[in-house]
Amino acid sequence: MKLSECVDVISANVLVTGEDMDLDVHVACGADLMSDVMAFSCSTNQMMLTGLVNPQTIRTAEMMDVKVVVFVRGKVPDRGMLDLAQEKGICVLSTPLPMFSACGILYQNGVKGKGE
Amino acid sequence: MIEPVKLEYKIRGSDFINAGEASSGTKKALNRLGVSPAAVKRAAIAMYEAEINAVIHADGGEAEVFIYSDHVIIRIIDQGPGIPDVSLAMQEGWSTAPDIAREMGFGAGMGLPNIKKHSDDMSIETEIGKGTTVTITVRFQV
């Protein structure tokens, strides 16, 4: 699913434009525990949905080569975090949907979890 | 023998804004040197978890990175409280981290297990009241 389509189906606001807005998103993960995200180095998660709003979410995305971070429940990070994401070339979205619904809608539209 | 590329970083304690800078710099350097993306990711994750541990538990420390042609050695050195029981600390889910670490998405007892999982070799030297050195080796070819 194209990143631009992901933005539409979860009614997201684009807070930081990533390097590649035409990115095809195949694999995503949803987590508030960053160590859980990093438990799998072989994962090819391109998108991370999270309710955790702090700079370490952007750092984790950087280490894991995650291209898109989606903050759920309408959370909006501060300027410092957005600048950090911009510097790292990471796209940042904010959706009003809660975690479960946002993940469910993306899944229904063809975005899968790791190893599926 | 060719001299390794050496990188050094200061890790500031309880600084959750800049925590990860050392790992970020190392990741960039490995990428620039043309190391395979899979190996870069493993090294970055292992170092990042170790860096976060130093921020959380030891009021910071130092990172030393030695990049050779076929592997990287990462050393995170702190003068923190030491680890009383390393085998317990290696168990997934066992944690002594304060709430602030959990608020940052860490401190769930996954740090050391994650480092082990992503490295080819990991060693911990620790002394109570003196500090801990975690040495991580990641080879570039599987």
Side-chain angles (χ1 to χ4, degrees):
Chain A
M1 191 183 200
K2 291 268 181 237
L3 177 52
S4 53
E5 293 170 315
C6 295
V7 169
D8 283 344
V9 293
I10 57 170
S11 308
N13 287 319
V14 180
L15 304 179
V16 176
T17 309
E19 281 169 349
D20 179 13
M21 292 305 281
D22 285 330
L23 178 77
D24 240 327
V25 180
H26 299 289
V27 184
C29 65
D32 290 344
L33 183 57
M34 295 301 107
S35 286
D36 266 351
V37 178
M38 291 193 287
F40 306 99
S41 74
C42 57
S43 81
T44 50
N45 287 320
Q46 296 153 301
M47 179 181 272
M48 174 172 82
L49 293 95
T50 185
L52 186 72
V53 185
N54 68 57
Q56 298 311 320
T57 54
I58 305 296
R59 296 270 184 213
T60 300
E62 182 196 1
M63 301 307 157
M64 293 296 292
D65 297 326
V66 166
K67 307 289 182 216
V68 187
V69 176
V70 184
F71 293 105
V72 299
R73 274 197 325 104
K75 294 174 186 180
V76 176
D78 64 16
R79 190 70 252 166
M81 277 180 69
L82 296 177
D83 288 345
L84 184 65
Q86 184 98 52
E87 183 193 320
K88 309 293 180 193
I90 295 166
C91 171
V92 179
L93 307 179
S94 176
T95 173
L97 298 171
M99 176 77 107
F100 185 78
S101 306
C103 290
I105 289 170
L106 289 169
Y107 193 93
Q108 222 168 17
N109 281 276
V111 180
K112 298 299 180 199
K114 178 194 172 283
E116 289 183 43
Chain B
M1 191 177 145
I2 302 164
E3 286 291 306
V5 174
K6 186 180 181 189
L7 309 171
E8 286 175 295
Y9 300 93
K10 275 255 171 256
I11 301 168
R12 279 179 289 181
S14 304
D15 178 356
F16 287 98
I17 304 290
N18 293 300
E21 275 292 310
S23 306
S24 176
T26 301
K27 186 174 193 238
K28 253 183 237 153
L30 290 170
N31 274 328
R32 212 170 34 234
L33 290 165
V35 175
S36 76
V40 172
K41 197 195 268 190
R42 291 172 66 226
I45 295 168
M47 182 170 177
Y48 182 45
E49 288 278 17
E51 186 180 352
I52 290 285
N53 270 349
V55 173
I56 294 172
H57 295 286
D59 200 24
E62 291 97 47
E64 290 176 354
V65 180
F66 302 89
I67 306 171
Y68 295 85
S69 60
D70 61 350
H71 70 289
V72 58
I73 295 174
I74 298 159
R75 201 166 284 143
I76 306 287
I77 304 144
D78 71 53
Q79 280 81 46
I83 306 170
D85 186 335
V86 173
S87 62
L88 203 53
M90 287 303 301
Q91 283 178 26
E92 230 176 68
W94 193 84
S95 174
T96 58
D99 286 345
I100 177 72
R102 273 180 272 280
E103 285 163 20
M104 290 290 146
F106 298 93
M110 304 270 294
L112 290 175
N114 265 356
I115 296 169
K116 191 172 174 60
K117 189 181 279 183
H118 297 311
S119 59
D120 291 298
D121 190 62
M122 168 198 184
S123 70
I124 301 171
E125 292 160 60
T126 187
E127 200 177 330
I128 299 302
K130 290 270 173 66
T132 300
T133 297
V134 178
T135 306
I136 299 159
T137 304
V138 173
R139 282 188 265 282
F140 301 151
Q141 300 286 331
V142 183

